[in-house]
Amino acid sequence: MGNRVYKYGKNTLAVRAGVAHSNFGEHAPGLFLTSSFVYKNAADAAAHFAGKVDGGYIYSRFTNPTVRMFEQRLAALEGAERCVATASGMSAILAVCLAFVQAGDHVLCSRSVFGTTTVLFDKYISKMGVAVDFVDLTSLDAWQQAIKPNTRLAFIESPSNPLGHIVDTAKLAAICKARNVLLVVDNCLTTPALQQPLALGADIVMHSATKYIDGQGRAIGGAVLGSRVLMEEVYGVVRTCGPSMSPFNAWVFLNGLETLHLRMQAHSHNAMHVAKWLQAQPQVKRVHYIGLPTHPQHALAKAQQSGFGGIVSFEVYGGQAAAWQVIDHTELLSITANLGDSKSTITHPATTTHSRLSPEVRLACGIEDALLRVSVGLENWQDICHDLATGLALLPSQ
Ligand SMILES: *Cc1c(COP(=O)(O)O)cnc(C)c1O
């Protein structure tokens, strides 16, 4: 992008930031499928290994040109000093924990997070001799009270999956800062196209690139972003422990980022129409979509997000059997647990994404048996509603 001192807009950064050209003069970003890199001579190799060659490449577990392009582009979009790419969203969270938490520490995790994130903290991070407590995302008082002298890190997802709960991130960041706790935000559901948590005061942002960053359900990947100082620690973990992003996946995500803003606007537009339509159906008990003016946190969402995203959840009358009826009568929607795809997907969280949680924990998170989640894709929204209508027509109205 040259050296002009000028701050480019988000759309420009999405298609231009981070690209490094090889000598071949390619226009699209190059895909460097190579595990190692060669040197001019023994001294050059030694200089690379000593870290004396700025931007030098050594081995693709921790340095690869395609992965670096992806990292630089996502960093530009999140307004972060540095990004470290990882093999998956889960390994992004694991890398953050390995970098900043040790035995004897205490960490806090929001109750409303991706099901596997709960398992990661509850079953594996706790194994490291780290105490874990789960907190109600929306209550600033609860966070304030949950922080202990040895609390090192607070992990949230805002908006959360699948219910779209949010927290006032700037206020929570201030609470964490005052008590020396790192605030980590999973920005998977909004992406930097709709919200930049670092600008709201978070210390670290992480992503499952698998979702909207890819946008077409093709590859698994993750990312951690923040200051140079913090990311040096995360980089050390990825370099040493090896949950690295494959260059091929980085190339897919790099191209995905080019259309991220357009897609997030389209997902949000479609989701709003689907949510409004669902709200008008007598068989639907409750719709969870932060874009609806009736949502208790709508005003806060409007203040800290520039759009509401593509995830709409709703409860039907008639429990799990009714929810399954809706799924089993779809023809267009894909029955799969992935989200953030251009194709709409439908999921029953209680028996899939959140099935590893105990029924008590599940209910505490608000995952009712009658809850369905739709990741609203880029089809015509009328077709999505029409597909849901077939199953809904068979259900009771209360
Ligand atoms: C999918 C997801 C993850 C985990 O990411 P993977 O790439 O599947 O490892 C984490 N957080 C959220 C919100 C997700 O939706």
Coordinates of all heavy atoms in Angstrom, one line a residue, residues 17-21 26 29-32 57 64-74 254 257:
A17 N -4.8 -4.1 2.4 CA -3.8 -4.2 3.5 C -3.1 -5.5 3.5 O -3.7 -6.6 3.3 CB -4.5 -3.9 4.9
G18 N -1.8 -5.5 3.9 CA -1.0 -6.7 4.2 C -0.4 -7.4 3.0 O 0.3 -8.3 3.2
V19 N -0.7 -7.0 1.8 CA -0.2 -7.7 0.6 C 1.3 -7.5 0.4 O 1.7 -6.3 0.3 CB -1.0 -7.5 -0.6 CG1 -0.4 -8.1 -1.8 CG2 -2.4 -8.1 -0.5
A20 N 2.0 -8.5 0.4 CA 3.5 -8.4 0.0 C 3.7 -9.1 -1.3 O 3.2 -10.3 -1.5 CB 4.3 -9.1 1.1
H21 N 4.3 -8.5 -2.3 CA 4.4 -9.1 -3.6 C 5.7 -9.8 -3.8 O 6.7 -9.3 -3.3 CB 4.2 -8.0 -4.7 CG 2.8 -7.4 -4.7 ND1 1.7 -8.2 -5.2 CD2 2.3 -6.2 -4.3 CE1 0.6 -7.4 -5.0 NE2 1.0 -6.3 -4.5
E26 N 2.7 -10.9 -9.3 CA 1.3 -11.4 -9.2 C 0.4 -10.3 -8.6 O 0.9 -9.5 -7.8 CB 1.2 -12.6 -8.3 CG 1.4 -12.5 -6.8 CD 2.8 -12.4 -6.4 OE1 3.7 -12.4 -7.3 OE2 3.1 -12.3 -5.2
P29 N -3.0 -12.1 -3.9 CA -2.0 -12.6 -2.9 C -1.4 -14.0 -3.2 O -2.2 -14.9 -3.6 CB -2.8 -12.6 -1.6 CG -4.1 -12.2 -1.9 CD -4.3 -11.9 -3.3
G30 N -0.2 -14.2 -3.1 CA 0.5 -15.4 -3.4 C 0.2 -16.5 -2.3 O 0.1 -16.1 -1.1
L31 N 0.1 -17.7 -2.7 CA -0.1 -18.8 -1.8 C 1.3 -19.6 -1.7 O 1.7 -20.2 -2.6 CB -1.2 -19.8 -2.3 CG -1.4 -21.1 -1.6 CD1 -1.5 -20.9 -0.1 CD2 -2.6 -21.8 -2.1
F32 N 1.9 -19.4 -0.5 CA 3.3 -19.9 -0.3 C 3.2 -21.3 0.4 O 3.2 -21.3 1.7 CB 4.2 -18.9 0.4 CG 4.5 -17.7 -0.5 CD1 3.7 -16.6 -0.4 CD2 5.6 -17.8 -1.3 CE1 4.0 -15.5 -1.2 CE2 5.9 -16.7 -2.1 CZ 5.1 -15.6 -2.1
Y57 N 11.9 -15.0 6.9 CA 11.1 -16.2 7.1 C 12.0 -17.4 7.4 O 13.1 -17.5 6.9 CB 10.4 -16.5 5.8 CG 9.3 -15.4 5.5 CD1 9.6 -14.4 4.6 CD2 8.1 -15.4 6.2 CE1 8.7 -13.4 4.4 CE2 7.2 -14.4 6.0 CZ 7.5 -13.4 5.1 OH 6.6 -12.4 4.9
N64 N 5.3 -17.5 7.7 CA 5.0 -17.8 6.3 C 4.4 -16.6 5.7 O 3.6 -15.9 6.3 CB 4.0 -18.9 6.3 CG 3.5 -19.3 4.9 OD1 2.6 -18.6 4.4 ND2 4.1 -20.3 4.3
P65 N 4.8 -16.2 4.4 CA 4.3 -15.0 3.8 C 2.8 -14.9 3.7 O 2.3 -13.8 3.9 CB 5.0 -15.0 2.4 CG 6.2 -16.0 2.6 CD 5.8 -17.0 3.6
T66 N 2.2 -16.0 3.3 CA 0.7 -15.9 3.1 C 0.0 -15.7 4.5 O -0.9 -14.9 4.6 CB 0.2 -17.2 2.5 OG1 1.0 -17.5 1.3 CG2 -1.3 -17.0 2.0
V67 N 0.5 -16.4 5.5 CA -0.1 -16.3 6.8 C 0.2 -14.8 7.3 O -0.7 -14.2 7.9 CB 0.5 -17.3 7.8 CG1 0.0 -17.1 9.2 CG2 0.2 -18.7 7.4
R68 N 1.4 -14.3 7.1 CA 1.7 -13.0 7.5 C 0.8 -11.9 6.8 O 0.3 -11.0 7.4 CB 3.1 -12.6 7.3 CG 3.5 -11.3 8.0 CD 5.0 -11.1 7.9 NE 5.7 -12.0 8.8 CZ 7.1 -12.1 8.8 NH1 7.8 -11.4 7.9 NH2 7.7 -12.9 9.6
M69 N 0.5 -12.1 5.6 CA -0.4 -11.2 4.8 C -1.8 -11.2 5.5 O -2.4 -10.1 5.7 CB -0.6 -11.6 3.4 CG 0.6 -11.3 2.5 SD 0.2 -11.6 0.8 CE 1.2 -13.0 0.4
F70 N -2.3 -12.4 5.8 CA -3.6 -12.5 6.5 C -3.5 -11.8 7.9 O -4.4 -11.0 8.2 CB -4.0 -14.0 6.7 CG -5.1 -14.1 7.7 CD1 -6.4 -13.8 7.4 CD2 -4.8 -14.7 9.0 CE1 -7.4 -13.9 8.3 CE2 -5.9 -14.8 9.9 CZ -7.1 -14.4 9.6
E71 N -2.4 -12.0 8.6 CA -2.3 -11.4 10.0 C -2.3 -9.8 9.8 O -3.0 -9.1 10.6 CB -1.0 -11.8 10.6 CG -1.1 -13.3 11.1 CD 0.3 -13.8 11.6 OE1 1.3 -13.3 11.2 OE2 0.3 -14.8 12.3
Q72 N -1.6 -9.3 8.8 CA -1.5 -7.9 8.7 C -2.8 -7.3 8.3 O -3.2 -6.2 8.7 CB -0.3 -7.5 7.8 CG 1.0 -7.9 8.4 CD 2.2 -7.5 7.7 OE1 2.1 -7.0 6.5 NE2 3.4 -7.6 8.3
R73 N -3.5 -8.0 7.4 CA -4.8 -7.4 7.0 C -5.8 -7.4 8.1 O -6.5 -6.4 8.3 CB -5.3 -8.2 5.8 CG -6.6 -7.6 5.2 CD -7.0 -8.3 3.9 NE -6.1 -7.9 2.8 CZ -6.2 -8.4 1.6 NH1 -7.1 -9.2 1.2 NH2 -5.3 -8.0 0.6
L74 N -5.9 -8.5 8.8 CA -6.8 -8.6 9.9 C -6.5 -7.5 11.0 O -7.3 -6.9 11.6 CB -6.9 -10.0 10.5 CG -8.0 -10.2 11.6 CD1 -9.4 -9.8 11.1 CD2 -8.0 -11.6 12.1
L254 N -7.6 -14.6 3.7 CA -7.2 -13.3 3.2 C -8.2 -12.9 2.1 O -8.5 -11.7 2.1 CB -5.8 -13.6 2.6 CG -5.0 -12.4 2.1 CD1 -4.7 -11.4 3.2 CD2 -3.6 -12.9 1.6
L257 N -11.6 -11.8 3.6 CA -11.6 -10.5 4.2 C -12.0 -9.4 3.2 O -12.5 -8.4 3.6 CB -10.2 -10.2 4.9 CG -9.9 -10.9 6.2 CD1 -8.5 -10.5 6.7 CD2 -10.9 -10.5 7.3

